[in-house]
Amino acid sequence: MTDNAGGESTGVTERIGGYAADMGPSWVAGAIAAGPATIASLVTAGATFGYDLLWVVVLSAGAGALAQYLAMRLGLLTERGIVAVVEDTLGEPWAWLLVVDGVLAAGVAQLVIMKTVATVSATVTGVDARIWGVVWAVILALGLAGRGYRFLELAAKLLVSLVVVAFVASLFVVPIDYGAAAQGLVPAVPSGGALVAAGILGGAVHITLITMHSYTMRSRGWTREDYGTASFDVGASMLVAFGIYSLAIFLVTASVLTSADLSTVGAAQALGPLVGPSAKWLFLLGLWGAAVSTLGGNTIVPPFLLADKLGWGTTIEDDRYRWLLVATALLSAPGAFIGGAVLGQLVLVLALGTVGTPFAIAVVLYLLNSGAVPDRNSTLANVGGLALLLVTGTLAANFVREQVAGGVGPLSGFVLAVAAVLGVAILGLGGKYAAEEVV
């Protein structure tokens, strides 16, 4: 029996080792999730509310892993891009709605992420941020259009791993009140905290992460036979790496910072006089790596969605897709010229994405319970998906309510209009599914 047990243990170890060696697609999603917008939300939450929103931070990792798991199932079971599946199953208007929703969220985020990358680069090197914006745009265009997806995947795994190490290391030079942190595990949203909570959750559960996953798996060549590897990939990247990353940043800022009126770079610099230069540089280098990895991952989202809708290939073997990559990369350069404090812009970008995310979740759930897939969702997966839809929908509604309460201006009016259209679309999907089940 000892030999059998040893053999089984060796087999499990080898299987896990094989999974770890083959990981990739979900790490690209993790690279986007573990970005400056998430850092901005965590910094704002910790500096403004202390440990009160720790429960949202913990929830975000589990919710992010669940969202990616559902997206992974759809991609593997159909072995197609999500836009093509939506068009064949629901029709062209639904496909265009998903494309517009995803491209809008990713496009706005791209500009603000570029601003962050350029700002951090300028802080570290002393070279003007606007110059860095142009430099990074060219690097993106050459790297993605020249070497394609595998270049991005390798960079994502390397950068996310280094970022996690940097932020975890900062925990050892910052005093943490673990008793107060434990109290923050009790769910409660403090006054004025809805936007920040939406931003934290939006970093892990975002329409760009959900829609891109079927394409990154296709780029890797994964099929239904790779289900175990794909599941391990999601758990390792979103649940473990992203969870540790978010927890470390939140605990550091909640323990030390007392002002939310900081840029992401300002938060790093504020740590210096409070807890020493080591914390400052660990945080700053972590932010830099996170910003670069997120910029690269986010760049591929609009080309994936548009190319699939237009019937083009979604790899650089198709020159049309290659030029979409180049255009998206170069159009991100103006982000470095945007004025204003980047912290509030990053939180707002994530929260805006949260408004579009419930629709993407509803689409994935519908498809996973339709004839689009050979094996319908299990009851447990559906319960988890509906819970995810409820949580993201509630946070999105709270965000819209806060925006409208401040007066309906151009921005809040736009958010309200988008939320209304997508809300009607979600109800339409629910009604369509109910009617089909009754028949």
Side-chain angles (χ1 to χ4, degrees):
M1 292 183 65
T2 302
D3 290 341
N4 289 338
E8 290 176 3
S9 176
T10 301
V12 171
T13 301
E14 290 178 350
R15 187 161 59 250
I16 292 176
Y19 287 161
D22 290 336
M23 290 188 304
S26 194
W27 285 80
V28 179
I32 298 178
T38 297
I39 295 176
S41 295
L42 294 168
V43 167
T44 302
T48 306
F49 305 106
Y51 297 105
D52 289 352
L53 290 176
L54 178 58
W55 67 275
V56 180
V57 178
V58 175
L59 174 66
S60 70
L66 175 59
Q68 289 308 115
Y69 172 76
L70 294 173
M72 176 214 80
R73 273 184 56 81
L74 180 63
L76 286 185
L77 293 177
T78 62
E79 297 182 6
R80 301 176 67 197
I82 187 173
V83 172
V85 177
V86 169
E87 183 163 2
D88 287 351
T89 307
L90 293 169
E92 189 171 18
W94 291 94
W96 273 118
L97 183 58
L98 182 64
V99 170
V100 171
D101 189 12
V103 170
L104 182 63
V108 173
Q110 185 78 358
L111 294 173
V112 182
I113 294 168
M114 175 58 86
K115 177 180 178 180
T116 307
V117 173
T119 301
V120 178
S121 300
T123 302
V124 173
T125 65
V127 177
D128 190 277
R130 291 166 294 185
I131 295 176
W132 272 115
V134 175
V135 169
W136 280 116
V138 172
I139 291 174
L140 269 181
L142 294 176
L144 293 177
R147 301 190 60 187
Y149 169 76
R150 293 308 292 266
F151 164 75
L152 175 63
E153 184 183 284
L154 178 62
K157 287 192 284 189
L158 177 62
L159 286 172
V160 170
S161 299
L162 292 176
V163 166
V164 170
V165 170
F167 284 123
V168 168
S170 67
L171 286 175
F172 292 94
V173 293
V174 172
I176 309 296
D177 186 343
Y178 291 101
Q183 296 177 11
L185 293 173
V186 179
V189 179
S191 177
L195 172 60
V196 181
I200 293 173
L201 192 64
V205 185
H206 197 277
I207 182 172
T208 56
L209 311 183
I210 296 169
T211 54
M212 75 181 292
H213 206 42
S214 57
Y215 301 102
T216 52
M217 289 191 299
R218 288 182 71 203
S219 296
R220 176 52 94 87
W222 282 359
T223 66
R224 298 172 203 174
E225 302 300 318
D226 299 291
Y227 199 94
T229 303
S231 300
F232 184 89
D233 189 42
V234 169
S237 63
M238 292 302 298
L239 189 61
V240 178
F242 177 77
I244 294 173
Y245 158 93
S246 298
L247 191 61
I249 296 170
F250 179 81
L251 290 176
V252 167
T253 55
S255 301
V256 178
L257 300 181
T258 57
S259 172
D261 188 23
L262 291 168
S263 66
T264 46
V265 176
Q269 293 173 327
L271 292 175
L274 293 173
V275 287
S278 296
K280 167 189 170 181
W281 282 105
L282 284 171
F283 199 91
L284 190 60
L285 292 174
L287 172 59
W288 198 10
V292 172
S293 65
T294 301
L295 185 66
N298 194 73
T299 302
I300 67 175
V301 177
F304 271 150
L305 298 177
L306 285 170
D308 196 19
K309 181 64 191 73
L310 296 172
W312 300 349
T314 53
T315 67
I316 58 173
E317 279 68 36
D318 189 318
D319 286 337
R320 296 168 296 183
Y321 171 76
R322 187 197 299 266
W323 283 110
L324 275 178
L325 276 177
V326 172
T328 305
L330 296 180
L331 286 173
S332 63
F337 296 80
I338 297 175
V342 72
L343 184 64
Q345 294 167 354
L346 286 167
V347 176
L348 186 59
V349 161
L350 272 187
L352 282 170
T354 301
V355 172
T357 298
F359 174 66
I361 295 172
V363 167
V364 170
L365 284 175
Y366 178 91
L367 294 175
L368 286 173
N369 288 280
S370 72
V373 296
D375 301 312
R376 289 196 172 195
N377 247 7
S378 66
T379 300
L380 183 60
N382 280 331
V383 169
L386 289 173
L388 196 61
L389 181 60
L390 178 63
V391 170
T392 57
T394 300
L395 287 174
N398 286 337
F399 165 62
V400 172
R401 186 162 48 248
E402 280 193 0
Q403 289 294 302
V404 174
V408 179
L411 178 59
S412 57
F414 175 74
V415 171
L416 183 61
V418 171
V421 169
L422 295 178
V424 170
I426 292 173
L427 292 176
L429 270 181
K432 180 176 174 61
Y433 177 75
E436 291 170 350
E437 288 297 298
V438 170
V439 173

